[in-house]
Amino acid sequence: MVRLSFHGHSAFQIEGGGKRLIIDPFLNNNGLTDIKPSDVQVDTILLTHGHGDHVGDAVEIAKSCGANVIACYELATYLGGLGLDVHPMHIGGGHNFDFGRVQFTVAHHGSGLDRGDGSGMVYMGDPAGLLLTIEGKKIYHAGDTGLVAEMGILGDMHDIDVALLPIGDNFTMGIDDAVYAASKLLKAKVTIPMHYNTFPVIAADPEEFVFKLSKQGGVGKVLKIGEIYEIP
């Protein structure tokens, strides 16, 4: 059984394939999360891109529990330079791990990490989404992205069990674009909204997303913070 839990913003923990994973562990500065980095015990950390609200507390978590970090090449190389165990990949590429398969997918956004010293941001390569296959279940985490036609290719090629889509607008898709992506392109069995309400500028009503998706024949589910969803 593959279990998925939501921890605010775009952070999800996944248990499956005998392993524990976390995606985009933005916790310390996330007012909506229910966990601290010290609570996280995982084997693998997956990062969609290099912005601070997605890299989050990956360094602290990886150093604490020895987790391997999977990310696009530039971000992985940077984190490897900090002493982390990393596996670099890139968009379109896939790799089979002991827990399952990871493929990086197209996302339209940015990727840079603030140095924290006032000197600006370090370029962290391209942003990406993630297509995970664990115990035969397919999970698509879109990362931060606008609406992209490549989502239709993913929907055609893969029978997606769960899609995790941003709905907060301003930096990513808003609700209407996410509804189109879910219903017309990805056609996942269930779509879970993410990347909303963490900051005032990305305020959005996830129930509005679920309602509008249902009108298009799709199934949406809002996860409460800390709620676990078992993929059937």
Side-chain angles (χ1 to χ4, degrees), residues 22-218:
I22 192 166
I23 304 173
D24 289 356
F26 175 54
L27 306 174
N28 270 334
N29 295 308
N30 179 358
L32 296 182
T33 195
D34 59 322
I35 56 175
K36 305 184 294 294
S38 58
D39 297 326
V40 178
Q41 294 294 319
V42 294
D43 303 286
T44 301
I45 300 167
L46 298 114
L47 301 177
T48 60
H49 64 292
H51 287 158
D53 59 330
H54 294 263
V55 175
D57 305 289
V59 174
E60 180 180 343
I61 294 168
K63 288 184 174 180
S64 172
C65 56
N68 176 243
V69 180
I70 301 171
C72 282
Y73 180 81
E74 293 82 0
L75 177 55
T77 300
Y78 173 83
L79 295 174
L82 300 180
L84 304 189
D85 175 35
V86 300
H87 183 103
M89 296 182 65
H90 229 304
I91 294 168
H95 187 81
N96 295 324
F97 295 89
D98 55 1
F99 58 82
R101 183 170 176 82
V102 176
Q103 182 177 7
F104 278 84
T105 66
V106 170
H108 286 339
H109 192 58
S111 183
L113 197 59
D114 192 335
R115 298 174 189 269
D117 60 5
S119 62
M121 301 188 82
V122 182
Y123 171 67
M124 288 295 164
D126 292 329
L130 296 165
L131 183 66
L132 311 178
T133 306
I134 303 175
E135 295 185 18
K137 303 298 183 181
K138 290 187 181 288
I139 303 167
Y140 171 61
H141 186 298
D144 278 7
T145 187
L147 182 63
V148 292
E150 289 83 356
M151 291 175 176
I153 298 174
L154 294 178
D156 287 343
M157 291 184 65
H158 301 279
D159 186 15
I160 299 172
D161 292 282
V162 179
L164 311 171
L165 296 185
I167 64 165
D169 217 357
N170 196 76
F171 298 112
T172 68
M173 292 187 291
I175 287 174
D176 290 340
D177 282 0
V179 167
Y180 184 90
S183 62
K184 306 299 183 185
L185 303 179
L186 295 163
K187 303 170 195 170
K189 294 182 179 70
V190 176
T191 302
I192 296 171
M194 65 176 183
H195 204 276
Y196 62 89
N197 291 350
T198 322
F199 316 109
V201 74
I202 59 169
D205 181 359
E207 296 294 350
E208 179 186 346
F209 167 78
V210 169
F211 175 75
K212 288 184 173 180
L213 180 56
S214 70
K215 292 296 185 182
Q216 298 299 318

